[in-house]
Structures are given as C-alpha cells and as structure tokens.
C-alpha cells in the first residue's frame, strides 16, 4: 500500500486589523492652594516656669523660669567660665557651683548634665 503524503496547506495570511487609538484625555493641572503657615506653638510643659533649688539657683538665678531658659543660662555659665572640656567638647568640667548641682562629680557629659539638673527643679 502506498503511503499518501499529506497535502500542503496554504499558509494563512496575517491580516492586521487597524486598532483605533483612544483619544488621550488631557488632565488639567490642579492649582496648588498655598496654606497659611501658622506660627509654631511651643509645648506648654516646656514653657511652664520651674522653681530651682539653692544649688542650681547659684548658677542660673533664683526666680522661676522655664526649663528651656534654665538650660540656656546653664550653657551661658559654662561658656563664660570656660568649663567645656577642650579635648572632648561633650564633657563639662564642674567648678564649685556646678559640682554641687552635678552631685559631687568633677566631670559629666552634656547628656548626663540635663538629667542631673532636672533633679534640682520643682
């Protein structure tokens, strides 16, 4: 029996369909409304006047002042008397007035200083 060869099928023609382009919507730019900047309100807990004891009062004064002002006056005192360590600026060398505030320590770090000073405020 003779084997029949399969008849060749003609190649399919690829017909490209025209794809309709969708019209692009133009987006209008949104107008940016400028917000009014309000003044930054300080935290009332920081601004509340604190009473200092006698040891800290010898450095910053005896009248009640906010915690932020106490820190400023303390740094003014340190810089005026050149108590900041020349090699390691993070360390504060205590004089007689500050030694009482720092609990008898000769030298404290500036981060430890805030913790020690807070014990002398009411």
């Amino acid at each position: 029996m003779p084997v029949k060869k399969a008849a060749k099928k003609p190649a399919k023609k690829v017909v490209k369909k025209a794809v309709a382009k969708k019209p692009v919507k133009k987006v209008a730019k949104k107008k940016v409304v400028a917000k009014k900047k309000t003044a930054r309100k300080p935290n009332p807990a920081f601004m509340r006047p604190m009473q200092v004891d006698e040891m800290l009062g010898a450095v910053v004064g005896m009248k009640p002042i906010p915690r932020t002002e106490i820190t400023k006056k303390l740094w003014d005192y340190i810089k005026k008397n050149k108590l900041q360590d020349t090699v390691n600026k993070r360390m504060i060398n205590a004089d007689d007035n500050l030694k009482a505030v720092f609990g008898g320590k000769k030298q404290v770090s500036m981060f430890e200083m805030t913790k020690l000073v807070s014990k002398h405020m009411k």
Side-chain angles (χ1 to χ4, degrees):
M1 258 180 133
V3 178
K4 288 185 179 180
K5 289 187 178 181
K8 289 187 178 181
K9 294 182 181 177
K12 291 184 179 180
K13 291 185 179 179
V14 179
V15 179
K16 290 186 179 179
K17 293 182 180 178
V19 179
K21 291 186 178 180
K22 294 180 182 178
V24 178
K25 293 181 181 177
K26 292 185 178 179
V27 180
K29 291 183 180 178
K30 295 180 181 179
K31 292 182 180 178
V32 179
V33 178
K35 293 183 181 179
K36 292 183 180 179
K37 289 191 177 184
T38 56
R40 199 171 148 263
K41 294 179 183 174
N43 187 341
F46 284 125
M47 301 311 291
R48 191 178 84 224
M50 305 287 287
Q51 183 62 49
V52 296
D53 65 1
E54 298 84 32
M55 290 182 264
L56 185 57
V59 178
V60 298
M62 286 302 294
K63 67 179 187 174
I65 53 175
R67 184 183 301 267
T68 54
E69 288 297 316
I70 292 172
T71 306
K72 284 181 186 177
K73 288 189 177 199
L74 197 59
W75 273 106
D76 289 342
Y77 180 84
I78 289 167
K79 294 200 176 177
K80 184 179 91 178
N81 294 316
K82 298 179 182 168
L83 299 174
Q84 198 170 7
D85 193 55
T86 54
V87 177
N88 187 355
K89 298 277 187 184
R90 288 180 291 184
M91 299 304 284
I92 309 300
N93 299 320
D95 64 353
D96 293 332
N97 289 335
L98 284 180
K99 198 176 278 192
V101 175
F102 295 161
K105 293 184 177 181
K106 286 192 305 185
Q107 193 177 48
V108 296
S109 72
M110 62 174 64
F111 306 109
E112 188 182 5
M113 175 185 75
T114 56
K115 182 176 85 172
L116 294 170
V117 167
S118 66
K119 294 176 184 177
H120 297 278
M121 292 185 267
K122 296 176 193 170

